[in-house]
């Protein structure tokens, strides 16, 4: 804000003052805050679907995963089927999952638009519910009841999470992008897979079919399957046959006598193996689904899935076939991927809500909005603290200049009180709640167990629709506790997001949208001095000290150098009003500089550097270094205090302390220059 310029003011000061008075009064109103706030689900993930529909259009995207580490199990692509198209900002998004072995880079690629019949959609939902229930629960008994609820939910047309997550077809299976053979693996029937297939190549010592709990099954069907062993209650992924192992092979436990596997099962489990000549199966434990968005997960993990187990086929009940171990491994990452996608869609909805009526050319990346609504409690590699520091400094500056130009006769104390009413956490929380921001806040670490499997109605995960300000709909999953301070932090972080990517105009637009009525319109600062500044201070010399800056309104320089105890009739004010504004300007300028200069800096370090730089002692040292103290208009006792400070100045090393750990106490007037 130019306070010594001569440009035309755009609004009458009286009207501006009246509007600002109403705004400040509104900020002072306090209402009880209810920390039970909604948790939003983006409408893009919610569609009521009725089985009476002949077909449905799905926009399909490939979820491509690239491991940045070596592992013996490859990662396959996943097909995401959405009832609505993804925002281009999201469709091109790339992010990393933090796995114990390293990172996996994830990106989305638009693949195709396909029509699926009601029967195909039902097959897809059965597949994804089965595979995710198995991955999340590691058990089978309740799966039947879950699938029964699927049909019930479809017939009722219940609004719930609705999208498809399916295995992608390999190149030789194209043109379809979906691996339909794997999708139909849930409908495995023994009688359809018991015959020897012409294209099978069983081992020399294998008959081509094996006896299982389901009956006779071809070896090609069981080698890539998911099986359940009732005697242990465990699920395994079968990766192949053990060519040299059957029921008569010897088991040699350490420190105990050798015995056959057949004898071991009879003694330990009370089970008599009937088909002791057939080859055994090589299996792996089911993968554990974790929060792979969590930062700093790079450490050695105990990998039980990497350990193979030997299983007699006749004790195995086939649950899904064909299903490769790589597909199962790939699907274990999907809950984390979809949680990030859901968060991005929330950010898109918030961005649209804010910008729907924006006439300015404001472009805000979705990832910045997501950063602004993500708290540190999520424990992810992005959170709001840096943007909060940036937004806090601009909020303080914008509010200060608004009050400074509006209340030109108020002293520093009155201005500070008014500013506090605008920028206090209580006021910011009220602004955020009035705009329904709490529902967008991401305030909890992702728990895969709480992830809603699309199409799964068994958990009673029904949603309630709510209309936002732009008449767009969004859904409420439930309620959770959000502290008022957290809402205030998000408001500041969103100011920072708009400022960092769209500049001051974008930040001002957001602040007005949320209810903080400020502008950067110039109103001349009128002060009536009855004396020429040149008679009391050396204006030209001071301009030379300031790199030859030319004051168009030298009376401001006189006011800035006048101590409050030196008030003369000809000088209507002292430095305190300008100190009020200058403090906010310095805070803002230094924060912006640090934010842009060190983009990779952690929020904690940014806050520390900001505290070190926005520091009264630093300001005083700088004033003494440039000898500005020699021009202060103050009584003798104040100058005596300044002289003592200057005498101690030689003992200080500005390069090493920058105002930290300083043993010298500076005169108050020096801190205000």
């Amino acid at each position: 804000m130019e306070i010594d310029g001569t440009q035309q003011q755009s609004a009458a000061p009286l009207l501006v003052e009246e509007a600002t008075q109403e705004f400040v009064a509104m900020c002072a109103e306090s209402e009880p805050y209810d920390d039970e706030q909604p948790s939003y689900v983006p409408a893009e993930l919610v569609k009521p679907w009725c089985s009476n529909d002949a077909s449905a259009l799905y926009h399909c995207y490939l979820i491509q995963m690239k491991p940045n580490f070596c592992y013996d199990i490859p990662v396959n692509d996943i097909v995401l089927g959405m009832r609505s198209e993804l925002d281009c900002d999201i469709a091109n998004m790339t992010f990393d999952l933090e796995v114990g072995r390293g990172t996996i880079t994830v990106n989305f690629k638009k693949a195709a638009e396909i029509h699926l019949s009601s029967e195909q959609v039902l097959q897809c939902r059965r597949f994804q519910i089965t595979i995710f229930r198995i991955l999340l629960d590691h058990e089978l008994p309740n799966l039947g009841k879950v699938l029964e609820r699927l049909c019930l939910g479809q017939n009722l047309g219940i609004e719930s999470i609705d999208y498809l997550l399916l295995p992608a077809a390999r190149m030789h299976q194209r043109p379809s992008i979906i691996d339909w053979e794997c999708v139909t693996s849930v409908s495995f029937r023994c009688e359809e897979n018991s015959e020897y297939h012409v294209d099978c190549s069983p081992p020399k010592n294998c008959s081509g079919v094996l006896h299982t709990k389901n009956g006779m099954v071809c070896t090609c069907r069981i080698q890539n399957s998911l099986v359940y062993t009732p005697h242990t209650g465990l699920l395994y992924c079968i990766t192949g046959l053990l060519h040299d192992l059957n029921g008569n092979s010897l088991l040699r436990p350490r420190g105990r006598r050798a015995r056959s596997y057949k004898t071991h099962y009879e003694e330990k489990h009370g089970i008599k193996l009937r088909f002791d000549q057939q080859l055994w199966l090589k299996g792996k434990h089911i993968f554990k689904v974790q929060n792979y968005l969590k930062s700093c997960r790079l450490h050695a993990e105990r990998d039980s899935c990497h350990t193979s187990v030997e299983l007699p086929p006749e004790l195995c009940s086939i649950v899904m076939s064909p299903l490769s171990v790589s597909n199962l491994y790939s699907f274990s990452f999907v809950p984390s991927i979809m949680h990030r996608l859901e968060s991005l869609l929330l950010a898109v909805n918030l961005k649209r809500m804010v910008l729907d009526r924006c006439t300015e050319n404001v472009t805000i990346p979705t990832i910045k909005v997501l950063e602004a609504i993500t708290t540190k409690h999520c424990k992810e590699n992005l959170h709001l603290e840096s943007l909060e520091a940036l937004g806090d400094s601009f909020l303080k500056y914008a509010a200060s200049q608004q009050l400074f130009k509006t209340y030109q006769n108020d002293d520093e104390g009155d201005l500070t009180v008014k500013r506090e009413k605008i920028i206090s956490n209580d006021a910011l929380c009220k602004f955020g709640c009035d705009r329904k921001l709490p529902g967008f806040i991401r305030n909890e670490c992702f728990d895969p167990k709480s992830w809603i499997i699309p199409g799964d109605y068994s958990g009673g995960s029904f949603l309630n629709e709510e209309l936002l300000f732009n008449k767009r709909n969004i859904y409420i999953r439930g309620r959770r506790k959000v502290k008022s301070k957290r809402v205030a932090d998000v408001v500041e972080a969103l100011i920072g997001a708009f400022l960092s990517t769209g500049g001051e105009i974008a930040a001002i637009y957001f602040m007005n949208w949320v209810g903080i009525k400020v502008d950067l319109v110039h109103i001349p600062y009128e002060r009536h001095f009855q004396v020429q500044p040149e008679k009391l201070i050396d204006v030209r010399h001071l301009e030379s000290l300031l790199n030859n800056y030319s004051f168009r309104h030298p009376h401001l320089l006189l006011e800035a150098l006048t101590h409050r105890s030196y008030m003369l009739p000809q000088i209507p004010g002292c430095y305190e009003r300008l100190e009020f504004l200058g403090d906010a300007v310095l805070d803002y300028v230094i924060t912006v500089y640090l934010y842009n200069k060190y983009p990779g800096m952690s929020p904690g370090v940014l806050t520390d550097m900001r505290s070190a730089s926005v520091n009264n002692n630093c300001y005083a040292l700088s004033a003494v270094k440039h000898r500005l103290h020699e021009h202060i208009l103050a009584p003798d006792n104040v100058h005596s205090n300044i002289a003592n400070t200057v005498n101690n100045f030689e003992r200080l090393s500005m390069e090493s302390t920058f105002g930290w750990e300083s043993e010298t106490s500076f005169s108050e007037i020096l801190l205000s220059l």
Side-chain angles (χ1 to χ4, degrees):
M1 180 186 72
E2 295 186 17
I3 59 175
D4 63 343
T6 57
Q7 66 187 70
Q8 188 72 26
Q9 70 183 63
S10 63
L14 183 59
L15 293 177
V16 173
E17 183 169 351
E18 289 176 354
T20 305
Q21 284 175 344
E22 292 177 5
F23 169 58
V24 173
M26 181 197 70
C27 294
E29 296 175 2
S30 60
E31 296 179 5
Y33 171 72
D34 181 6
D35 62 2
E36 289 289 334
Q37 295 291 338
S39 177
Y40 288 157
V41 175
E44 293 88 341
L45 301 181
V46 181
K47 288 285 183 182
W49 191 88
C50 182
S51 59
N52 295 328
D53 294 342
S55 67
L57 173 66
Y58 281 88
H59 302 268
C60 293
Y61 299 83
L62 278 179
I63 302 176
Q64 300 175 317
M65 291 178 274
K66 179 187 175 184
N68 301 310
F69 54 85
C70 295
Y71 190 46
D72 59 351
I73 302 176
V75 181
N76 297 338
D77 293 345
I78 306 291
V79 175
L80 168 64
M82 302 276 294
R83 297 293 296 276
S84 56
E85 210 166 351
L86 286 177
D87 187 275
C88 62
D89 208 5
I90 295 179
N92 300 317
M93 187 67 64
T94 297
F95 58 90
D96 285 343
L97 301 179
E98 302 282 353
V99 186
R101 304 172 192 90
T103 61
I104 294 178
T105 301
V106 179
N107 64 73
F108 293 85
K109 179 183 177 183
K110 182 68 183 289
E113 293 180 2
I114 60 174
H115 283 86
L116 299 179
S117 67
S118 58
E119 184 179 346
Q120 286 176 314
V121 173
L122 184 58
Q123 276 185 328
C124 293
R125 287 180 168 178
R126 287 179 64 87
F127 168 82
Q128 66 189 25
I129 290 173
T130 300
I131 197 167
F132 285 122
R133 281 267 68 97
I134 285 170
L135 282 168
L136 291 167
D137 300 340
H138 282 211
E139 59 182 35
L140 196 63
N142 296 325
L143 185 58
K145 294 179 181 178
V146 172
L147 294 176
E148 286 176 10
R149 294 292 298 271
L150 166 63
C151 298
L152 174 64
Q154 288 195 164
N155 291 331
L156 294 176
I158 294 172
E159 289 183 329
S160 186
I161 305 293
D162 176 45
Y163 51 87
L164 302 178
L165 292 162
L166 307 169
R170 302 297 182 96
M171 291 305 297
H172 68 274
Q173 296 173 307
R174 305 288 167 92
S176 174
I177 63 167
I178 298 171
D179 183 353
W180 285 106
E181 186 181 26
C182 184
V183 169
T184 57
S185 64
V186 180
S187 307
F188 177 82
R189 297 181 185 278
C190 177
E191 55 270 20
E192 297 173 2
N193 296 279
S194 59
E195 297 182 0
Y196 172 74
H197 296 94
V198 176
D199 58 347
C200 282
S201 300
K204 295 179 181 179
N205 55 341
C206 181
S207 64
V209 291
L210 295 172
H211 293 271
T212 70
K213 275 279 186 184
N214 308 74
M216 300 285 287
V217 177
C218 181
T219 55
C220 72
R221 289 302 186 190
I222 199 169
Q223 286 190 75
N224 285 289
S225 65
L226 184 74
V227 303
Y228 175 68
T229 54
H231 69 287
T232 63
L234 298 176
L235 290 150
Y236 299 94
C237 194
I238 304 303
T239 59
L241 297 175
L242 295 167
H243 297 177
D244 300 318
L245 187 70
N246 60 31
N248 294 317
S249 300
L250 289 180
L251 175 65
R252 294 183 173 87
R254 184 177 298 178
R256 299 174 63 183
R257 65 180 177 84
R259 53 182 173 169
S260 69
Y261 278 89
K262 180 178 180 180
T263 302
H264 168 75
Y265 268 79
E266 185 172 1
E267 291 179 355
K268 183 173 181 179
H269 300 289
I271 298 173
K272 292 185 178 182
L273 298 180
R274 296 167 54 206
F275 306 99
D276 53 8
Q277 296 296 323
Q278 66 180 358
L279 296 183
W280 279 30
L281 306 174
K282 182 181 181 181
K284 284 183 177 291
H285 290 280
I286 302 301
F287 298 95
K288 184 179 180 182
V289 178
Q290 301 181 57
N291 176 7
Y292 293 108
L293 296 168
K294 212 170 179 180
S295 59
C296 303
R297 283 190 47 81
L298 297 179
H299 56 84
E301 291 182 347
R302 182 182 176 186
D303 191 0
S304 61
C305 304
H306 196 71
T307 307
S308 296
V309 295
E310 306 93 3
L311 300 169
E314 63 186 279
L315 298 185
C316 295
S317 176
I318 298 176
V319 179
M320 300 176 73
S321 177
L323 178 68
S324 67
V325 66
S326 58
N327 268 335
L328 197 64
Y329 179 55
S330 303
F331 271 89
S332 70
F333 300 113
V334 169
S336 293
I337 294 171
M338 293 310 300
H339 180 71
R340 172 56 60 87
L341 177 61
E342 180 181 325
S343 302
L344 286 164
L345 287 170
L346 276 179
V348 165
N349 278 270
L350 174 56
K351 183 171 72 169
R352 287 173 179 165
M353 184 173 76
V354 175
L355 296 177
D356 258 1
R357 297 183 180 180
C358 181
T359 57
E360 304 287 346
N361 184 23
V362 175
T363 303
I364 307 296
T366 300
I367 192 67
K368 274 295 175 189
V369 179
L370 176 60
E371 183 181 342
I373 60 175
T374 302
T375 71
K376 207 169 182 178
H377 293 293
C378 294
K379 300 180 180 179
E380 297 181 14
N381 58 1
L382 79 170
H383 57 82
L384 57 75
E385 287 192 0
S386 290
L387 290 175
E388 179 196 348
L390 184 63
D392 171 72
S393 67
F394 184 74
L395 170 65
K396 180 181 175 182
Y397 160 68
S400 297
Q401 64 86 32
Q402 184 73 27
L403 295 169
F404 184 89
K405 70 186 180 184
T406 303
Y407 299 100
Q408 298 197 6
N409 294 317
D410 281 18
D411 61 29
E412 181 265 347
D414 292 335
L415 293 176
T416 301
V417 170
K418 288 183 172 69
R419 183 176 66 189
E420 184 60 26
K421 291 177 181 178
I422 298 173
I423 69 174
S424 69
N425 286 335
D426 287 344
L428 295 178
C429 177
K430 183 179 183 299
F431 292 134
C433 291
D434 288 346
R435 285 298 186 174
K436 299 187 177 182
L437 293 185
F440 292 96
I441 296 175
R442 301 175 64 242
N443 196 36
E444 298 170 339
C445 188
F446 172 56
D447 178 8
K449 290 286 186 181
S450 65
W451 179 65
I452 299 176
I453 300 171
D456 183 356
Y457 303 100
S458 62
S461 53
F462 307 129
L463 307 172
N464 298 313
E465 188 176 6
E466 179 165 303
L467 286 178
L468 299 174
F469 290 97
N470 53 359
K471 304 304 180 186
R472 295 178 185 271
N473 63 324
I474 204 158
Y475 290 85
I476 298 176
R477 178 177 15 225
R479 303 187 78 83
R480 73 275 162 78
K481 288 188 179 296
V482 180
K483 294 181 179 179
S484 60
K485 171 68 164 59
R486 199 70 60 223
V487 181
D489 292 345
V490 168
V491 171
E492 290 179 332
L494 284 167
I495 295 171
F498 276 75
L499 177 68
S500 64
T501 54
E504 291 183 354
I505 291 176
I508 288 292
Y509 171 81
F510 172 78
M511 290 171 68
N512 278 276
W513 176 86
V514 84
I516 305 171
K517 303 302 180 183
V518 295
D519 60 57
L520 296 179
V521 175
H522 169 62
I523 294 178
Y525 180 53
E526 299 178 0
R527 303 293 275 174
H528 302 289
F529 288 76
Q530 299 176 11
V531 63
Q532 290 298 318
E534 290 81 359
K535 293 184 178 181
L536 296 174
I537 56 175
D538 189 343
V539 176
R540 297 292 168 258
H541 179 63
L542 284 164
E543 288 178 338
S544 69
L545 292 178
L546 299 172
N547 292 326
N548 294 316
Y549 176 83
S550 179
F551 284 92
R552 285 173 288 177
H553 194 342
H555 291 92
L556 286 172
L557 182 58
L558 175 59
E559 185 174 343
L561 290 168
T562 303
H563 190 266
R564 63 175 174 268
S565 61
Y566 192 78
M567 300 290 285
L568 299 176
Q570 312 90 294
I571 306 176
C574 66
Y575 66 80
E576 289 179 342
R577 275 182 54 86
L578 292 171
E579 178 197 358
F580 168 83
L581 180 62
D583 172 67
V585 172
L586 278 169
D587 189 22
Y588 169 49
V589 170
I590 291 173
T591 303
V592 169
Y593 171 79
L594 292 173
Y595 183 87
N596 293 327
K597 179 73 173 178
Y598 307 103
M601 184 187 297
S602 69
V605 176
L606 175 64
T607 302
D608 288 344
M609 288 191 68
R610 175 188 174 193
S611 299
S613 303
V614 183
N615 180 295
N616 283 339
N617 283 354
C618 285
Y619 300 159
L621 284 169
S622 180
V624 171
K625 180 180 178 182
H626 293 89
R627 313 204 70 78
L628 295 178
H629 64 286
E630 296 176 354
H631 302 270
I632 294 172
L633 299 179
D636 291 343
N637 62 323
V638 173
H639 273 292
S640 176
N641 192 354
I642 293 174
N644 291 333
T645 299
V646 174
N647 290 335
N648 292 328
F649 178 69
E650 299 297 332
R651 297 190 294 105
L652 299 175
S653 171
M654 294 181 65
E655 290 75 18
S656 63
T657 66
F658 291 95
W660 289 61
E661 300 176 358
S662 173
E663 295 179 359
T664 297
S665 176
F666 292 96
S667 172
E668 185 184 34
I669 182 66
L670 288 176
L671 304 181
S672 306
L673 288 178

